[in-house]
mmCIF file of all heavy atoms in Angstrom:
data_model
loop_
_atom_site.group_PDB
_atom_site.id
_atom_site.type_symbol
_atom_site.label_atom_id
_atom_site.label_comp_id
_atom_site.label_asym_id
_atom_site.label_seq_id
_atom_site.Cartn_x
_atom_site.Cartn_y
_atom_site.Cartn_z
ATOM 1 N N ILE A 72 -42.845 93.936 13.863
ATOM 2 C CA ILE A 72 -42.172 94.826 12.901
ATOM 3 C C ILE A 72 -43.129 95.939 12.462
ATOM 4 O O ILE A 72 -42.752 97.109 12.387
ATOM 5 C CB ILE A 72 -41.630 94.030 11.707
ATOM 6 C CG1 ILE A 72 -40.471 93.140 12.166
ATOM 7 C CG2 ILE A 72 -41.191 94.967 10.578
ATOM 8 C CD1 ILE A 72 -39.979 92.148 11.128
ATOM 9 N N CYS A 73 -44.394 95.589 12.207
ATOM 10 C CA CYS A 73 -45.377 96.597 11.765
ATOM 11 C C CYS A 73 -45.670 97.635 12.850
ATOM 12 O O CYS A 73 -45.959 98.793 12.528
ATOM 13 C CB CYS A 73 -46.677 95.908 11.339
ATOM 14 S SG CYS A 73 -46.532 95.087 9.746
ATOM 15 N N GLU A 74 -45.584 97.244 14.114
ATOM 16 C CA GLU A 74 -45.771 98.207 15.200
ATOM 17 C C GLU A 74 -44.731 99.317 15.116
ATOM 18 O O GLU A 74 -45.027 100.487 15.312
ATOM 19 C CB GLU A 74 -45.618 97.517 16.561
ATOM 20 C CG GLU A 74 -46.809 96.706 16.996
ATOM 21 C CD GLU A 74 -46.538 95.956 18.301
ATOM 22 O OE1 GLU A 74 -45.557 96.296 19.023
ATOM 23 O OE2 GLU A 74 -47.293 95.029 18.608
ATOM 24 N N LYS A 75 -43.507 98.914 14.832
ATOM 25 C CA LYS A 75 -42.392 99.867 14.802
ATOM 26 C C LYS A 75 -42.235 100.538 13.440
ATOM 27 O O LYS A 75 -41.835 101.711 13.367
ATOM 28 C CB LYS A 75 -41.105 99.146 15.210
ATOM 29 C CG LYS A 75 -40.000 100.070 15.585
ATOM 30 C CD LYS A 75 -38.948 99.337 16.375
ATOM 31 C CE LYS A 75 -38.006 100.353 16.958
ATOM 32 N NZ LYS A 75 -37.290 99.915 18.093
ATOM 33 N N PHE A 76 -42.536 99.806 12.378
ATOM 34 C CA PHE A 76 -42.340 100.294 11.005
ATOM 35 C C PHE A 76 -43.623 100.043 10.203
ATOM 36 O O PHE A 76 -43.719 99.056 9.471
ATOM 37 C CB PHE A 76 -41.151 99.603 10.333
ATOM 38 C CG PHE A 76 -39.877 99.701 11.119
ATOM 39 C CD1 PHE A 76 -39.425 98.621 11.868
ATOM 40 C CD2 PHE A 76 -39.132 100.871 11.107
ATOM 41 C CE1 PHE A 76 -38.254 98.704 12.594
ATOM 42 C CE2 PHE A 76 -37.963 100.962 11.834
ATOM 43 C CZ PHE A 76 -37.516 99.878 12.576
ATOM 44 N N PRO A 77 -44.616 100.926 10.298
ATOM 45 C CA PRO A 77 -45.914 100.689 9.658
ATOM 46 C C PRO A 77 -45.862 100.601 8.126
ATOM 47 O O PRO A 77 -46.776 100.043 7.527
ATOM 48 C CB PRO A 77 -46.778 101.867 10.095
ATOM 49 C CG PRO A 77 -45.998 102.613 11.113
ATOM 50 C CD PRO A 77 -44.601 102.131 11.112
ATOM 51 N N ALA A 78 -44.825 101.141 7.487
ATOM 52 C CA ALA A 78 -44.757 101.115 6.023
ATOM 53 C C ALA A 78 -44.296 99.765 5.475
ATOM 54 O O ALA A 78 -44.345 99.533 4.272
ATOM 55 C CB ALA A 78 -43.820 102.214 5.519
ATOM 56 N N VAL A 79 -43.871 98.862 6.333
ATOM 57 C CA VAL A 79 -43.358 97.570 5.877
ATOM 58 C C VAL A 79 -44.501 96.696 5.354
ATOM 59 O O VAL A 79 -45.555 96.605 5.960
ATOM 60 C CB VAL A 79 -42.606 96.832 7.011
ATOM 61 C CG1 VAL A 79 -42.327 95.392 6.636
ATOM 62 C CG2 VAL A 79 -41.304 97.549 7.336
ATOM 63 N N GLN A 80 -44.253 96.102 4.209
ATOM 64 C CA GLN A 80 -45.149 95.106 3.622
ATOM 65 C C GLN A 80 -44.357 93.817 3.470
ATOM 66 O O GLN A 80 -43.180 93.849 3.064
ATOM 67 C CB GLN A 80 -45.672 95.566 2.263
ATOM 68 C CG GLN A 80 -46.601 96.753 2.326
ATOM 69 C CD GLN A 80 -47.883 96.412 3.055
ATOM 70 O OE1 GLN A 80 -48.556 95.421 2.744
ATOM 71 N NE2 GLN A 80 -48.243 97.202 4.048
ATOM 72 N N PHE A 81 -44.970 92.702 3.774
ATOM 73 C CA PHE A 81 -44.295 91.413 3.691
ATOM 74 C C PHE A 81 -44.745 90.670 2.432
ATOM 75 O O PHE A 81 -45.934 90.695 2.094
ATOM 76 C CB PHE A 81 -44.623 90.567 4.926
ATOM 77 C CG PHE A 81 -44.121 91.194 6.201
ATOM 78 C CD1 PHE A 81 -44.937 92.052 6.928
ATOM 79 C CD2 PHE A 81 -42.842 90.944 6.654
ATOM 80 C CE1 PHE A 81 -44.477 92.633 8.093
ATOM 81 C CE2 PHE A 81 -42.380 91.535 7.821
ATOM 82 C CZ PHE A 81 -43.202 92.384 8.539
ATOM 83 N N VAL A 82 -43.801 90.038 1.766
ATOM 84 C CA VAL A 82 -44.114 89.191 0.619
ATOM 85 C C VAL A 82 -43.656 87.777 0.947
ATOM 86 O O VAL A 82 -42.517 87.559 1.357
ATOM 87 C CB VAL A 82 -43.458 89.724 -0.683
ATOM 88 C CG1 VAL A 82 -44.117 91.025 -1.110
ATOM 89 C CG2 VAL A 82 -41.971 89.910 -0.553
ATOM 90 N N HIS A 83 -44.572 86.835 0.810
ATOM 91 C CA HIS A 83 -44.302 85.453 1.190
ATOM 92 C C HIS A 83 -43.918 84.667 -0.047
ATOM 93 O O HIS A 83 -44.727 84.463 -0.950
ATOM 94 C CB HIS A 83 -45.546 84.863 1.846
ATOM 95 C CG HIS A 83 -45.298 83.561 2.535
ATOM 96 N ND1 HIS A 83 -46.267 82.912 3.215
ATOM 97 C CD2 HIS A 83 -44.191 82.783 2.637
ATOM 98 C CE1 HIS A 83 -45.795 81.798 3.725
ATOM 99 N NE2 HIS A 83 -44.526 81.705 3.367
ATOM 100 N N ALA A 84 -42.679 84.225 -0.095
ATOM 101 C CA ALA A 84 -42.150 83.447 -1.219
ATOM 102 C C ALA A 84 -42.190 81.955 -0.869
ATOM 103 O O ALA A 84 -42.232 81.583 0.292
ATOM 104 C CB ALA A 84 -40.724 83.875 -1.536
ATOM 105 N N GLY A 85 -42.130 81.115 -1.889
ATOM 106 C CA GLY A 85 -42.046 79.682 -1.663
ATOM 107 C C GLY A 85 -43.054 78.908 -2.490
ATOM 108 O O GLY A 85 -43.550 79.381 -3.514
ATOM 109 N N THR A 86 -43.370 77.701 -2.028
ATOM 110 C CA THR A 86 -44.325 76.836 -2.717
ATOM 111 C C THR A 86 -45.612 76.753 -1.900
ATOM 112 O O THR A 86 -45.651 77.135 -0.728
ATOM 113 C CB THR A 86 -43.759 75.405 -2.886
ATOM 114 O OG1 THR A 86 -43.666 74.779 -1.603
ATOM 115 C CG2 THR A 86 -42.382 75.429 -3.555
ATOM 116 N N MET A 87 -46.646 76.209 -2.511
ATOM 117 C CA MET A 87 -47.932 76.092 -1.824
ATOM 118 C C MET A 87 -47.870 75.107 -0.651
ATOM 119 O O MET A 87 -48.735 75.131 0.207
ATOM 120 C CB MET A 87 -49.040 75.693 -2.808
ATOM 121 C CG MET A 87 -49.335 76.781 -3.842
ATOM 122 S SD MET A 87 -49.638 78.423 -3.129
ATOM 123 C CE MET A 87 -51.175 78.151 -2.271
ATOM 124 N N GLN A 88 -46.852 74.263 -0.593
ATOM 125 C CA GLN A 88 -46.691 73.345 0.528
ATOM 126 C C GLN A 88 -46.116 74.053 1.764
ATOM 127 O O GLN A 88 -46.135 73.498 2.851
ATOM 128 C CB GLN A 88 -45.785 72.166 0.162
ATOM 129 C CG GLN A 88 -46.403 71.190 -0.821
ATOM 130 C CD GLN A 88 -46.385 71.708 -2.256
ATOM 131 O OE1 GLN A 88 -45.462 72.414 -2.663
ATOM 132 N NE2 GLN A 88 -47.412 71.393 -3.021
ATOM 133 N N ASP A 89 -45.594 75.265 1.582
ATOM 134 C CA ASP A 89 -45.033 76.025 2.698
ATOM 135 C C ASP A 89 -46.184 76.572 3.546
ATOM 136 O O ASP A 89 -47.274 76.849 3.042
ATOM 137 C CB ASP A 89 -44.156 77.162 2.200
ATOM 138 C CG ASP A 89 -42.966 76.681 1.399
ATOM 139 O OD1 ASP A 89 -42.674 75.466 1.446
ATOM 140 O OD2 ASP A 89 -42.349 77.492 0.708
ATOM 141 N N ASP A 90 -45.925 76.732 4.822
ATOM 142 C CA ASP A 90 -46.948 77.187 5.758
ATOM 143 C C ASP A 90 -47.370 78.619 5.449
ATOM 144 O O ASP A 90 -46.530 79.499 5.217
ATOM 145 C CB ASP A 90 -46.422 77.113 7.190
ATOM 146 C CG ASP A 90 -46.044 75.694 7.574
ATOM 147 O OD1 ASP A 90 -46.714 74.749 7.086
ATOM 148 O OD2 ASP A 90 -45.096 75.522 8.361
ATOM 149 N N GLU A 91 -48.675 78.873 5.439
ATOM 150 C CA GLU A 91 -49.226 80.207 5.193
ATOM 151 C C GLU A 91 -49.095 81.073 6.436
ATOM 152 O O GLU A 91 -49.326 80.625 7.552
ATOM 153 C CB GLU A 91 -50.699 80.094 4.805
ATOM 154 C CG GLU A 91 -51.333 81.429 4.507
ATOM 155 C CD GLU A 91 -52.799 81.310 4.115
ATOM 156 O OE1 GLU A 91 -53.332 80.184 4.105
ATOM 157 O OE2 GLU A 91 -53.395 82.357 3.847
ATOM 158 N N VAL A 92 -48.695 82.331 6.226
ATOM 159 C CA VAL A 92 -48.573 83.281 7.327
ATOM 160 C C VAL A 92 -49.777 84.229 7.260
ATOM 161 O O VAL A 92 -49.933 84.981 6.309
ATOM 162 C CB VAL A 92 -47.256 84.087 7.247
ATOM 163 C CG1 VAL A 92 -47.183 85.115 8.352
ATOM 164 C CG2 VAL A 92 -46.064 83.151 7.291
ATOM 165 N N ALA A 93 -50.629 84.160 8.289
ATOM 166 C CA ALA A 93 -51.841 84.972 8.327
ATOM 167 C C ALA A 93 -51.562 86.292 9.064
ATOM 168 O O ALA A 93 -51.461 86.324 10.287
ATOM 169 C CB ALA A 93 -52.961 84.209 9.026
ATOM 170 N N HIS A 94 -51.394 87.341 8.286
ATOM 171 C CA HIS A 94 -51.209 88.689 8.832
ATOM 172 C C HIS A 94 -51.630 89.665 7.742
ATOM 173 O O HIS A 94 -51.336 89.452 6.563
ATOM 174 C CB HIS A 94 -49.752 88.923 9.236
ATOM 175 C CG HIS A 94 -49.533 90.214 9.948
ATOM 176 N ND1 HIS A 94 -49.366 91.408 9.283
ATOM 177 C CD2 HIS A 94 -49.505 90.498 11.270
ATOM 178 C CE1 HIS A 94 -49.210 92.376 10.160
ATOM 179 N NE2 HIS A 94 -49.296 91.863 11.372
ATOM 180 N N PRO A 95 -52.320 90.764 8.078
ATOM 181 C CA PRO A 95 -52.825 91.684 7.053
ATOM 182 C C PRO A 95 -51.724 92.322 6.192
ATOM 183 O O PRO A 95 -52.003 92.738 5.066
ATOM 184 C CB PRO A 95 -53.593 92.742 7.831
ATOM 185 C CG PRO A 95 -53.416 92.454 9.264
ATOM 186 C CD PRO A 95 -52.746 91.142 9.420
ATOM 187 N N ALA A 96 -50.516 92.418 6.689
ATOM 188 C CA ALA A 96 -49.441 93.053 5.911
ATOM 189 C C ALA A 96 -48.689 92.043 5.028
ATOM 190 O O ALA A 96 -47.728 92.421 4.366
ATOM 191 C CB ALA A 96 -48.456 93.756 6.846
ATOM 192 N N VAL A 97 -49.130 90.792 5.005
ATOM 193 C CA VAL A 97 -48.460 89.753 4.205
ATOM 194 C C VAL A 97 -49.222 89.527 2.905
ATOM 195 O O VAL A 97 -50.421 89.241 2.913
ATOM 196 C CB VAL A 97 -48.360 88.411 4.986
ATOM 197 C CG1 VAL A 97 -47.775 87.324 4.093
ATOM 198 C CG2 VAL A 97 -47.516 88.579 6.235
ATOM 199 N N THR A 98 -48.513 89.667 1.779
ATOM 200 C CA THR A 98 -49.065 89.298 0.475
ATOM 201 C C THR A 98 -48.490 87.933 0.132
ATOM 202 O O THR A 98 -47.267 87.744 0.106
ATOM 203 C CB THR A 98 -48.685 90.331 -0.609
ATOM 204 O OG1 THR A 98 -49.158 91.617 -0.195
ATOM 205 C CG2 THR A 98 -49.284 89.960 -1.945
ATOM 206 N N ASP A 99 -49.371 86.983 -0.136
ATOM 207 C CA ASP A 99 -48.976 85.600 -0.371
ATOM 208 C C ASP A 99 -48.609 85.394 -1.834
ATOM 209 O O ASP A 99 -49.463 85.441 -2.717
ATOM 210 C CB ASP A 99 -50.128 84.675 0.025
ATOM 211 C CG ASP A 99 -49.743 83.209 0.016
ATOM 212 O OD1 ASP A 99 -48.590 82.883 -0.334
ATOM 213 O OD2 ASP A 99 -50.597 82.394 0.385
ATOM 214 N N PHE A 100 -47.321 85.165 -2.092
ATOM 215 C CA PHE A 100 -46.847 84.858 -3.441
ATOM 216 C C PHE A 100 -46.326 83.431 -3.536
ATOM 217 O O PHE A 100 -45.592 83.102 -4.467
ATOM 218 C CB PHE A 100 -45.748 85.848 -3.859
ATOM 219 C CG PHE A 100 -46.266 87.231 -4.164
ATOM 220 C CD1 PHE A 100 -45.859 88.307 -3.413
ATOM 221 C CD2 PHE A 100 -47.149 87.448 -5.214
ATOM 222 C CE1 PHE A 100 -46.318 89.597 -3.687
ATOM 223 C CE2 PHE A 100 -47.615 88.725 -5.490
ATOM 224 C CZ PHE A 100 -47.191 89.799 -4.735
ATOM 225 N N ARG A 101 -46.703 82.591 -2.582
ATOM 226 C CA ARG A 101 -46.278 81.197 -2.660
ATOM 227 C C ARG A 101 -46.837 80.577 -3.939
ATOM 228 O O ARG A 101 -48.015 80.725 -4.241
ATOM 229 C CB ARG A 101 -46.783 80.395 -1.454
ATOM 230 C CG ARG A 101 -46.172 80.793 -0.136
ATOM 231 C CD ARG A 101 -46.831 80.087 1.035
ATOM 232 N NE ARG A 101 -48.266 80.360 1.028
ATOM 233 C CZ ARG A 101 -49.196 79.460 1.295
ATOM 234 N NH1 ARG A 101 -48.881 78.235 1.620
ATOM 235 N NH2 ARG A 101 -50.478 79.804 1.263
ATOM 236 N N GLY A 102 -45.980 79.903 -4.681
ATOM 237 C CA GLY A 102 -46.416 79.206 -5.884
ATOM 238 C C GLY A 102 -46.569 80.080 -7.115
ATOM 239 O O GLY A 102 -46.942 79.595 -8.178
ATOM 240 N N VAL A 103 -46.276 81.369 -7.008
ATOM 241 C CA VAL A 103 -46.408 82.270 -8.156
ATOM 242 C C VAL A 103 -45.104 82.262 -8.940
ATOM 243 O O VAL A 103 -44.040 82.578 -8.405
ATOM 244 C CB VAL A 103 -46.745 83.716 -7.710
ATOM 245 C CG1 VAL A 103 -46.767 84.656 -8.905
ATOM 246 C CG2 VAL A 103 -48.062 83.746 -6.967
#
Side-chain angles (χ1 to χ4, degrees):
I72 291 171
C73 285
E74 283 175 16
K75 196 162 191 157
F76 306 102
V79 168
Q80 293 294 309
F81 297 91
V82 291
H83 192 177
T86 69
M87 293 309 293
Q88 290 78 34
D89 298 346
D90 300 327
E91 181 180 1
V92 178
H94 187 276
V97 175
T98 302
D99 189 358
F100 287 117
R101 293 173 303 139
V103 176

